[in-house]
Amino acid sequence: MSARISRTLIFVAMLLCSRVLAEWNVATEFRIVRVPVRAGVEIVEQFSEERTTPDAMNTLARLLQKGEATVVTEVFGKGVSGVLQTIEHIEEHRYPTEFEAPNPQFAPQATSGLAIPAVRTVMDVRNTGTALQYEMEVAADGLILSGRVACVHVRHLGDLRYEYGVRADGLKYYVEQPNFLVLRSSADVVMKSGLPHLTGSFVAADVPGQMELQIVTMKTAQIGVSASSEGGNEVKQSSRMDVRRYRLTVEDGTRARIAITREKRDPSEVLNAMMRDSKATLSLCASLPSVPNQQNVQENIIEFRYPTEFEPPGRVLALMDTATRQRELRIATARVRKIISGFHGPPQPYSSPFNLPAVPQTTFEVRNTGSTIQSESGSVGEKDASVMLNLSMHEVGWSGFTRRLKAVEPQGERVYDYQPKSATQKTTENRALPVGKWVLQAFHKRPAPFNDVEITIVRIKTNHVQFTHQKP
């Protein structure tokens, strides 16, 4: 009997505690909006300060009304303060991961240039769409929210075809693998209830001349009794780090650098003016909200899946009698020698095969290309003129694949494998950055075939918010 009473008391105590802790509802709106690059730069600038955030929303509304901007997706959700919440709007994209060689009995007639796919045997699933995850603490008055927000947008860009073999008569065998664009941001934020907050900005690789903005709005509503106000007041610092990268010709890039370093002109004004004159192209525009001593990440990457391993080719020579097998091997050896000596020559005459090229690739790897930015800022007083910033930027450029001859089969078939061609640029620095001013971060000349320069500029803005927190 006493045990039952004890359990009842514990259950009642848990209810009371949960009522005190879960005193706020948090209604969330997550929007992804696509805008032209030039307008997007202006909107990102307006989002950098609380007082101009309404101007950013008005600019965005005008673009939507004119049809110059597009709402890519909207998701809504409601949760409780202090509890991890997830909002998803996803679709499952299925794609093959293992294959079998096509049956030669069902192959098309011998005609140069035809291609047939391998037989799919195993499938996998990749979630595409949007997702928002957050866990927010709410101030005593319900006006300020503080916590970590993670946003991601994934979409399928199409499939790449990998021809893994060419038969002697020109018939090609291939497999296909998908590419996915991933736009992800993760940061600690301090935001006002009902005021839109820019959590990420991206120059999407698949939509030239367009930017995608991730905007989160959270509204609080009291749902329970107030906890005791023993927690007291706390001043929370918030900041926003902006990174922009422009591409210019070598001549225009040199002029811009001279204007920034020798003439001491504002880097943003110089480069934006050149962009308006079509002398510069914006290739990266990241805007990361933050709080001191917390790491924040923004990714704008494309996942390329490509084949890396082959299984041994199948043979049916063992089914032949000894004389036939020896004859076929002598013919195959002569054809192999001729193909190797003149690889780009015309295809050899073809008869019904006793084997096919190697079984298609059964192992695939993923190569992430694009940009990844990680940042962490230090604490700064209200009158401090600079803040310590740890910034890491990782850029991987992709320029296709190298197709290599892997093997020549006895009947004249040629088998290939693929290796990605990419270039990696990585910078890591820890420096004191002036608050509120654009600074030249990098000047990089890209080699052939680009033969241009990239100029990267960074800026950090800070804000101090009075945050009244509570402890039950």
Side-chain angles (χ1 to χ4, degrees), residues 31-104:
R31 292 182 175 88
I32 298 179
V33 185
R34 186 177 297 158
V35 298
V37 166
R38 295 183 183 180
V41 171
E42 177 186 357
I43 293 172
V44 170
E45 188 67 29
Q46 291 170 337
F47 267 119
S48 66
E49 294 187 20
E50 181 182 303
R51 63 182 179 84
T52 54
T53 294
D55 298 333
M57 297 304 293
N58 292 333
T59 302
L60 192 56
R62 288 195 298 269
L63 292 173
L64 290 170
Q65 188 175 12
K66 294 178 181 179
E68 298 176 4
T70 305
V71 176
V72 178
T73 186
E74 287 183 307
V75 293
F76 305 90
K78 183 176 290 187
V80 187
S81 60
V83 178
L84 183 64
Q85 305 290 335
T86 302
I87 308 172
E88 293 182 336
H89 182 194
I90 61 175
E91 296 181 3
E92 293 183 350
H93 180 87
R94 298 181 63 83
Y95 61 94
T97 57
E98 293 186 17
F99 303 84
E100 291 181 354
N103 191 327

Side-chain angles (χ1 to χ4, degrees), residues 5 12 74 89 98 115 121 125 142 181 183 200 226 229 234 287 290 303 313 354 391 472:
I5 294 174
V12 172
E74 287 183 307
H89 182 194
E98 293 186 17
T121 57
V125 175
L181 176 69
L183 307 178
S226 298
S229 57
E234 179 184 355
S287 185
S290 177
E303 297 177 356
F354 61 84
L391 178 64

